[in-house]
Short mmCIF file of all heavy atoms in Angstrom, two decimals:
data_model
loop_
_atom_site.label_atom_id
_atom_site.label_comp_id
_atom_site.label_asym_id
_atom_site.label_seq_id
_atom_site.Cartn_x
_atom_site.Cartn_y
_atom_site.Cartn_z
N GLU A 75 167.73 -97.41 60.08
CA GLU A 75 168.95 -98.03 59.59
C GLU A 75 169.50 -97.19 58.45
O GLU A 75 168.79 -96.85 57.51
CB GLU A 75 168.68 -99.46 59.09
CG GLU A 75 169.91 -100.18 58.58
CD GLU A 75 169.61 -101.60 58.13
OE1 GLU A 75 168.42 -101.99 58.15
OE2 GLU A 75 170.56 -102.31 57.75
N LEU A 76 170.80 -96.85 58.54
CA LEU A 76 171.47 -96.10 57.49
C LEU A 76 172.33 -97.06 56.68
O LEU A 76 173.20 -97.74 57.23
CB LEU A 76 172.33 -94.98 58.09
CG LEU A 76 171.63 -94.01 59.05
CD1 LEU A 76 172.59 -92.90 59.46
CD2 LEU A 76 170.37 -93.43 58.42
N THR A 77 172.08 -97.10 55.38
CA THR A 77 172.78 -98.03 54.51
C THR A 77 173.76 -97.29 53.62
O THR A 77 173.73 -96.06 53.49
CB THR A 77 171.80 -98.80 53.62
OG1 THR A 77 171.27 -97.91 52.62
CG2 THR A 77 170.64 -99.38 54.44
N THR A 78 174.59 -98.05 52.94
CA THR A 78 175.59 -97.45 52.04
C THR A 78 174.98 -97.00 50.72
O THR A 78 175.71 -96.53 49.83
CB THR A 78 176.73 -98.45 51.76
OG1 THR A 78 176.18 -99.67 51.25
CG2 THR A 78 177.53 -98.73 53.00
N ASP A 79 173.66 -97.09 50.58
CA ASP A 79 173.02 -96.55 49.38
C ASP A 79 173.15 -95.03 49.32
O ASP A 79 172.96 -94.44 48.25
CB ASP A 79 171.53 -96.91 49.38
CG ASP A 79 171.29 -98.40 49.17
OD1 ASP A 79 172.01 -98.99 48.36
OD2 ASP A 79 170.41 -98.97 49.85
N TYR A 80 173.45 -94.42 50.47
CA TYR A 80 173.49 -92.97 50.54
C TYR A 80 174.72 -92.49 51.28
O TYR A 80 175.30 -93.20 52.10
CB TYR A 80 172.24 -92.42 51.27
CG TYR A 80 170.96 -92.71 50.54
CD1 TYR A 80 170.21 -93.83 50.87
CD2 TYR A 80 170.52 -91.88 49.52
CE1 TYR A 80 169.05 -94.13 50.18
CE2 TYR A 80 169.36 -92.16 48.83
CZ TYR A 80 168.62 -93.30 49.15
OH TYR A 80 167.48 -93.58 48.46
N VAL A 81 175.10 -91.24 51.00
CA VAL A 81 175.96 -90.46 51.87
C VAL A 81 175.01 -89.61 52.72
O VAL A 81 174.05 -89.05 52.21
CB VAL A 81 176.90 -89.54 51.06
CG1 VAL A 81 177.65 -88.60 51.99
CG2 VAL A 81 177.88 -90.36 50.24
N TYR A 82 175.31 -89.50 54.03
CA TYR A 82 174.39 -88.81 54.93
C TYR A 82 174.97 -87.46 55.35
O TYR A 82 176.12 -87.39 55.82
CB TYR A 82 174.08 -89.68 56.15
CG TYR A 82 173.36 -90.95 55.72
CD1 TYR A 82 174.08 -92.10 55.40
CD2 TYR A 82 171.99 -90.97 55.58
CE1 TYR A 82 173.44 -93.25 54.96
CE2 TYR A 82 171.33 -92.12 55.15
CZ TYR A 82 172.07 -93.25 54.83
OH TYR A 82 171.42 -94.38 54.39
N GLU A 83 174.18 -86.43 55.19
CA GLU A 83 174.57 -85.08 55.56
C GLU A 83 173.78 -84.65 56.79
O GLU A 83 172.54 -84.67 56.79
CB GLU A 83 174.31 -84.10 54.41
CG GLU A 83 174.69 -82.67 54.74
CD GLU A 83 174.41 -81.71 53.61
OE1 GLU A 83 174.12 -82.18 52.48
OE2 GLU A 83 174.48 -80.48 53.85
N LEU A 84 174.50 -84.29 57.85
CA LEU A 84 173.86 -83.83 59.09
C LEU A 84 173.63 -82.33 59.00
O LEU A 84 174.58 -81.55 58.87
CB LEU A 84 174.76 -84.16 60.29
CG LEU A 84 175.12 -85.64 60.48
CD1 LEU A 84 176.23 -85.79 61.51
CD2 LEU A 84 173.89 -86.44 60.92
N ASP A 85 172.36 -81.94 59.08
CA ASP A 85 172.01 -80.53 59.03
C ASP A 85 171.78 -80.03 60.46
O ASP A 85 170.72 -80.23 61.04
CB ASP A 85 170.75 -80.33 58.18
CG ASP A 85 170.36 -78.86 58.05
OD1 ASP A 85 171.12 -78.00 58.52
OD2 ASP A 85 169.29 -78.58 57.48
N GLY A 86 172.80 -79.39 61.04
CA GLY A 86 172.70 -78.96 62.43
C GLY A 86 172.74 -80.13 63.38
O GLY A 86 173.25 -81.21 63.07
N TYR A 87 172.19 -79.93 64.59
CA TYR A 87 172.16 -81.00 65.59
C TYR A 87 171.07 -82.01 65.20
O TYR A 87 169.89 -81.67 65.12
CB TYR A 87 171.84 -80.43 66.97
CG TYR A 87 172.98 -79.67 67.64
CD1 TYR A 87 172.80 -79.09 68.89
CD2 TYR A 87 174.22 -79.53 67.04
CE1 TYR A 87 173.83 -78.40 69.53
CE2 TYR A 87 175.26 -78.84 67.66
CZ TYR A 87 175.06 -78.27 68.90
OH TYR A 87 176.08 -77.59 69.51
N VAL A 88 171.48 -83.26 64.99
CA VAL A 88 170.54 -84.33 64.67
C VAL A 88 170.53 -85.29 65.85
O VAL A 88 171.57 -85.86 66.20
CB VAL A 88 170.95 -85.08 63.38
CG1 VAL A 88 170.00 -86.23 63.11
CG2 VAL A 88 170.98 -84.11 62.20
#
Side-chain angles (χ1 to χ4, degrees):
E75 181 179 3
L76 306 185
T77 72
T78 55
D79 291 320
Y80 297 94
V81 172
Y82 297 90
E83 179 180 349
L84 302 168
D85 182 6
Y87 286 179
V88 177

